Amino acid sequence: MGSGPVGVAVVGAGVISGEYLRTLSRFPDVRLVAVADIDISRAEEAARAHSVPVAGGLETVLGVPEVELVVNLTVPSAHVEVGLAALRAGKHLYGEKPIALRPDEAAKLLAEAGQRGLLVGSAPDTFLGAGLQSALRAVAAGRIGAPVAASTAVRSLGPERWHPSPAFFYQPGAGPLFDLGPYYLTALMALFGGVEQVAASTRRARTERVAGAGPLAGEAFPVDVPTHVSALLDFASGPTAASVFSWDSARPHLHFEVVGTEGTLAVPDPNTFRGPLRVRRNGAEDWAELPVQGRTDGRGLGVVDLARAIRSGAAPRASGALALHVLQTMTAVTESASRSTFIRPPGQVVPPEPLPVDWDPAAATL
Ligand SMILES: NC(=O)c1ccc[n+]([C@@H]2O[C@H](COP(=O)([O-])OP(=O)(O)OC[C@H]3O[C@@H](n4cnc5c(N)ncnc54)[C@H](O)[C@@H]3O)[C@@H](O)[C@H]2O)c1
């Protein structure tokens, strides 16, 4: 199992890599060893900016013996190819969401890791942040009684207004369901466990969109995925959720509430690590703020939890198994919409262990 900090290579030096490199540099249980990208100059620039010793292509960083864990931040269509290469080189894997485009590909990653005794973790890790961990604690403490239902919605006009290379957001593996769904579904699964059946309807407002920022501004690109998704999700443990994911709406809006037998909990944006968290008990005139305790460091909490799991033999919380069930559920949503019927996602999942209130990724434990 090795000892000391876990050596990490970041693969994919695009927009989100900056947040990971910043956060991981502050956590002593991981040591940033290498950055890779198919665009080598991008890898070199990111490595220089964050004082990481090695930069290059994928093969180069997989050949570095100190790299034990690959953090895969490539575009969704490359997640499986890069992930399999990392596992076959004997490295543990943590990847951005979605874990794969299709559940059978994600299962292939988990099988490859299992055969080799390697661990797989996956974004999102926002549910390990202060806001959602406090929400989980509030529900476990009975603040709203027994959970009955949830309603979630996330709406905007889509990421092409700000992202410099937005075309991948409208290809399989993205769209509002596969891009934002993992935040909402992972949070719902942390609350309620696995999904038993789903029903959904989807629409696509436009077949083409136009980049709005950066050097590609003004260029049109195709839309090959639904851009408005309404889903009903029944959880095996009892609660039901109604969820909307839309990039067709001029009104930016997000909403996440859990209704229980004794009150309603207003859950913070599951794409952040922060609060606020509010409860409204049945009969109360207004909302009451609940304490928000935990980490707000940013993306990378799941990487530290995985690094510690590599050394201890424990199960990582932002696990590949959880990401697989999220993907099975999103795939079932898509299938339900095309077949106009309820669909049962094949797998199940055990909700991840909550973090201790004083869990500290900035402490050296390895
Ligand atoms: N941008 C965000 O705000 C954001 C937030 C959370 C999660 N994510 C997720 O992070 C991932 C990356 O998103 P991004 O916005 O950083 O994308 P991006 O296009 O800015 O960056 C992706 C990088 O991966 C590189 N790459 C692609 N294929 C590769 C391969 N086979 N080998 C090595 N490098 C390869 C590209 O050259 C590029 O530099 C996606 O899965 C996305 O869903 C993005």
Side-chain angles (χ1 to χ4, degrees), residues 14-16 37-38 42 73-74 79 96-97 163 183 299:
V15 170
I16 207 59
D37 201 290
I38 33 173
R42 226 180 246 189
L73 309 181
T74 59
H79 285 175
E96 253 304 335
K97 45 76 191 169
H163 197 283
Y183 298 109
R299 289 174 171 82

Side-chain angles (χ1 to χ4, degrees), residues 144-151 192 239-240 257-266 282:
I144 56 167
V148 176
S151 63
F192 306 145
T240 185
E257 287 180 6
V258 182
V259 172
T261 50
E262 292 171 30
T264 293
L265 190 71
N282 290 352

Side-chain angles (χ1 to χ4, degrees), residues 11-20 36-40 42-43 56-58 72-79 81-82 95-98 123 159 162-166 168-169 173-174 178-180 183 271 299:
V11 178
V15 170
I16 207 59
S17 67
E19 180 173 339
Y20 277 91
D37 201 290
I38 33 173
D39 180 341
I40 307 277
R42 226 180 246 189
L58 180 61
N72 181 8
L73 309 181
T74 59
V75 292
S77 60
H79 285 175
E81 180 196 324
V82 170
E96 253 304 335
K97 45 76 191 169
W162 56 269
H163 197 283
S165 47
F168 82 82
F169 283 106
F178 283 74
D179 185 63
L180 297 173
Y183 298 109
N271 188 4
R299 289 174 171 82

Side-chain angles (χ1 to χ4, degrees), residues 44-258:
E44 287 170 347
E45 199 180 310
R48 213 172 17 251
H50 297 275
S51 308
V52 183
V54 179
L58 180 61
E59 290 307 312
T60 307
V61 307
L62 292 183
V64 176
E66 291 77 22
V67 171
E68 295 172 81
L69 166 61
V70 164
V71 175
N72 181 8
L73 309 181
T74 59
V75 292
S77 60
H79 285 175
V80 170
E81 180 196 324
V82 170
L84 278 177
L87 293 168
R88 286 176 182 155
K91 317 295 187 189
H92 301 277
L93 176 66
Y94 182 93
E96 253 304 335
K97 45 76 191 169
I99 183 169
L101 302 189
R102 298 196 319 262
D104 62 319
E105 292 183 317
K108 201 153 95 180
L109 279 179
L110 299 191
E112 186 76 34
Q115 278 162 23
R116 295 172 182 272
L118 297 168
L119 294 182
V120 176
S122 175
D125 57 359
T126 41
F127 76 99
L128 300 178
L132 291 173
Q133 286 291 314
S134 299
L136 295 175
R137 283 194 290 271
V139 172
R143 294 283 193 154
I144 56 167
V148 176
S151 63
T152 78
V154 55
R155 301 186 182 93
S156 74
L157 277 177
E160 69 270 29
R161 286 159 303 126
W162 56 269
H163 197 283
S165 47
F168 82 82
F169 283 106
Y170 295 91
Q171 291 302 306
L177 175 62
F178 283 74
D179 185 63
L180 297 173
Y183 298 109
Y184 290 81
L185 295 175
T186 304
L188 288 168
M189 285 177 196
L191 283 160
F192 306 145
V195 171
E196 189 167 57
Q197 61 171 4
V198 307
S201 219
T202 65
R203 296 290 184 270
R204 182 176 53 153
R206 290 181 286 285
T207 55
E208 201 176 81
R209 292 200 174 216
V210 177
L216 302 178
E219 273 188 28
F221 55 85
V223 176
D224 291 338
V225 290
T227 47
H228 184 96
V229 177
S230 303
L232 295 177
L233 312 155
D234 290 340
F235 290 81
S237 65
T240 185
S243 295
V244 172
F245 309 93
S246 181
W247 283 342
D248 290 330
S249 173
R251 181 169 85 99
H253 170 69
L254 64 87
H255 163 95
F256 193 148
E257 287 180 6
V258 182

Side-chain angles (χ1 to χ4, degrees), residues 27-29 295 297 301 304 308 355-365:
F27 296 159
D29 283 350
R295 305 301 303 196
D297 308 71
L301 299 183
V304 178
R308 291 177 179 171
L355 284 169
V357 180
D358 59 356
W359 185 78
D360 185 0
T365 71

